[in-house]
Amino acid sequence: AQRVTQPEKLLSVFKGAPVELKCNYSYSGSPELFWYVQYSRQRLQLLLRHISRESIKGFTADLNKGETSFHLKKPFAQEEDSAMYYCALRETSGSRLTFGEGTQLTVNP
Amino acid sequence: NAGVMQNPRHLVRRRGQEARLRCSPMKGHSHVYWYRQLPEEGLKFMVYLQKENIIDESGMPKERFSAEFPKEGPSILRIQQVVRGDSAAYFCASSPRDRVGDTEAFFGQGTRLTVV
């Protein structure tokens, strides 16, 4: 069965520092990976997906099939990046998303 | 477009009562997904519905839980004879297609159920 692991429940960095939120997955097929973000008092929203290879709000994530990872990175964190981040995997044949347990990122001034 | 609307935002039920959670998808969306988030855990898939059909209910507990998405009106997640372990945040998402994440999936703000 597929599984998504986010090893850090909490991550705290200073403004301007690089940040990396880790995500590892296990899935026997070829997965599709996503990052979702939930800002305080707001709903969960899609941040980026690996197939788009895009950069959103300065964040990027590269799918590493060899290491089965999809870490989220940003070179210079901003205070407004403070939020809960969820990594998610979708099976190639299905519709449902499997979520990790989330990482609460706090960017300190 | 008001987005995905879930109500109520907070629901308190005594053990043994029924809980009904409602989800109105975005306009034009005919696919609805329900997720549950237990305390200190990630979101867990429960069920995927299209209008009048349950497509995938593999994440639903076998007893006491049911879901529907009628032709008219919101999707309903129903929990009968609630127990303390049902206390959680329940999130609904909708999409215009059958692959959440293929287009942007929109989530509601969730219903926080507390069983006392």
Side-chain angles (χ1 to χ4, degrees):
Chain A
Q2 65 276 14
R3 185 171 177 178
V4 178
T5 304
Q6 293 179 248
E8 301 143 327
K9 279 188 183 277
L10 302 170
L11 183 61
S12 185
V13 301
F14 285 103
K15 177 182 172 182
V19 63
E20 180 179 68
L21 290 83
K22 291 185 168 51
C23 172
N24 290 90
Y25 66 90
S26 61
Y27 178 57
S28 57
S30 186
E32 295 182 57
L33 277 296
F34 307 85
W35 276 99
Y36 281 80
V37 61
Q38 186 174 29
Y39 300 102
S40 179
R41 301 182 184 282
Q42 295 186 28
R43 61 193 68 198
L44 199 67
Q45 56 189 286
L46 179 65
L47 180 62
L48 53 79
R49 66 200 87 181
H50 92 269
I51 56 174
S52 301
R53 301 185 67 81
E54 57 201 344
S55 174
I56 303 293
K57 299 184 179 182
F59 285 97
T60 58
D62 290 318
L63 178 61
N64 186 323
K65 291 187 178 181
E67 295 183 358
T68 60
S69 68
F70 188 56
H71 304 326
L72 184 67
K73 300 176 184 178
K74 184 168 182 177
F76 308 103
Q78 303 299 315
E79 289 180 67
E80 56 265 28
D81 296 328
S82 296
M84 191 73 167
Y85 291 81
Y86 292 95
C87 183
L89 175 153
R90 187 180 69 192
E91 306 165 33
T92 48
S93 60
S95 301
R96 64 156 153 181
L97 288 167
T98 299
F99 285 87
E101 297 193 357
T103 297
Q104 177 66 51
L105 173 65
T106 301
V107 180
N108 299 299
Chain B
N1 199 331
V4 179
M5 302 301 293
Q6 288 188 249
N7 67 82
R9 291 289 308 279
H10 300 275
L11 182 62
V12 179
R13 283 287 177 267
R14 295 185 188 281
R15 280 178 295 172
Q17 290 185 320
E18 179 180 285
R20 280 181 176 244
L21 289 65
R22 294 174 184 76
C23 170
S24 296
M26 287 188 70
K27 188 176 180 181
H29 288 192
S30 58
H31 303 262
V32 165
Y33 309 79
W34 284 93
Y35 288 80
R36 177 167 66 172
Q37 185 175 34
L38 294 169
E40 307 296 322
E41 296 187 18
L43 284 81
K44 298 281 197 294
F45 169 82
M46 298 184 75
V47 63
Y48 160 41
L49 310 103
Q50 292 180 24
K51 284 283 187 181
E52 300 185 278
N53 286 307
I54 296 175
I55 306 303
D56 179 356
E57 58 180 347
S58 55
M60 287 276 272
K62 295 276 188 289
E63 297 177 350
R64 302 187 297 107
F65 284 72
S66 63
E68 63 176 11
F69 189 17
K71 189 175 179 181
E72 301 291 336
S75 175
I76 307 284
L77 180 67
R78 184 180 174 206
I79 311 172
Q80 295 179 289
Q81 299 175 312
V82 295
V83 301
R84 288 228 171 101
D86 297 333
S87 296
Y90 292 83
F91 290 92
C92 169
S94 75
S95 75
R97 301 181 190 173
D98 62 358
R99 286 166 66 82
V100 174
D102 194 11
T103 67
E104 186 168 344
F106 291 88
F107 278 80
Q109 291 190 296
T111 294
R112 193 162 298 276
L113 172 66
T114 303
V115 180
V116 296

